[in-house]
Amino acid sequence: MNATMMSVNPFGENMYILWDEASHEAVVIDPGMMREGEREMVTKFIDEHQLNVKHVLLTHLHVDHITGARWLADKTGADVCGSALDNPLGQELPDQVAHFRINIEVEPLTVDRNLSEGDTLPLGDEIIQVLHVPGHSPGGLAFYVPQSNLLFSGDTIFNGSIGRTDLWGGDFAQLINSIREKILPLPDETIIASGHGPTTTVADEKRCNPFL
């Protein structure tokens, strides 16, 4: 499994491209591109590596993680996958843009495929497992690749911090419960690739995260 991170948009959001070396099949997690230059960067990378993007995976439907989702799906023929519990956020995407005073034009986003706890997605010889981790948003998802010891956590947990819960649908107690029940039980060596900031590991967050 190959994984590349690109930081995009004014929020410094981490989008990830995962691909299988043999088949060139790929998924893109949280494409939050807002500018033409960011879209060109992603297109260039996909073309240079001759990737066949099968899925656009959304950890949650906040504005900084989804503004490039439909564009990328249309460009590559991929489907947009996320939680049905976050569908209201997708429908309110223009309102989210207005709230943060972002000077872009967007349409409401409807996912093509609803993902839930326990769903799996194949990528080459590996499997991406879907975890439901509500708290930052009602439909928050994390994507776990056990063979590569990788967890893509969205805004659920960060290096030394956790996701904010004062946005649409946030719930602090629910977020802490999601982290304790779904993320901390993973192997200590699991690398956590979050929606913002640097990577960390499950072991480091158990030991150092002040919120836990």
Side-chain angles (χ1 to χ4, degrees):
M1 175 81 68
N2 295 291
T4 291
M5 186 275 284
M6 297 179 181
S7 181
V8 296
N9 71 45
F11 299 90
E13 186 261 333
N14 295 337
M15 64 166 285
Y16 298 93
I17 302 175
L18 282 60
W19 77 98
D20 174 66
E21 190 72 44
S23 66
H24 291 262
E25 290 187 347
V27 300
V28 179
I29 299 175
D30 289 353
M33 307 89 71
M34 294 184 182
R35 306 298 181 192
E36 182 62 30
E38 294 172 340
R39 292 191 288 268
E40 290 176 357
M41 174 180 66
V42 174
T43 299
K44 181 180 179 181
F45 186 93
I46 290 171
D47 291 344
E48 286 181 347
H49 290 80
Q50 299 179 326
L51 301 182
N52 176 19
V53 180
K54 305 294 289 185
H55 308 291
V56 173
L57 305 181
L58 304 178
T59 60
H60 62 293
L61 271 64
H62 285 158
V63 58
D64 51 330
H65 290 252
I66 66 172
T67 44
R70 182 54 62 195
W71 174 87
L72 184 61
D74 290 344
K75 184 80 173 178
T76 63
D79 58 358
V80 178
C81 307
S83 171
L85 296 174
D86 269 7
N87 279 342
L89 293 175
Q91 295 306 301
E92 294 167 2
L93 181 55
D95 295 331
Q96 293 190 55
V97 167
H99 176 82
F100 287 105
R101 300 181 181 180
I102 307 169
N103 187 27
I104 57 174
E105 294 185 5
V106 295
E107 299 291 333
L109 177 67
T110 300
V111 301
D112 304 313
R113 178 179 176 181
N114 292 319
L115 297 178
S116 303
E117 173 79 23
D119 287 344
T120 59
L121 299 162
L123 186 59
D125 294 331
E126 300 194 50
I127 296 294
I128 301 171
Q129 299 178 3
V130 179
L131 307 179
H132 181 215
V133 286
H136 180 64
S137 73
L141 302 176
F143 301 107
Y144 178 46
V145 190
Q147 289 170 272
S148 292
N149 287 319
L150 282 171
L151 176 76
F152 299 90
S153 65
D155 287 0
T156 298
I157 188 171
F158 304 115
N159 187 323
S161 188
I162 61 173
R164 59 190 293 186
T165 55
D166 59 335
L167 297 173
W168 303 271
D171 185 304
F172 179 81
Q174 194 175 49
L175 181 68
I176 295 298
N177 187 63
S178 291
I179 294 170
R180 291 193 181 280
E181 290 194 354
K182 301 293 180 65
I183 295 178
L184 297 189
L186 298 177
D188 281 353
E189 63 271 21
T190 303
I191 297 170
I192 299 174
S194 57
H196 303 268
T199 60
T200 183
T201 65
V202 168
D204 285 345
E205 296 315 302
K206 284 181 179 178
R207 183 174 63 251
C208 302
N209 193 311
F211 293 92
L212 304 177

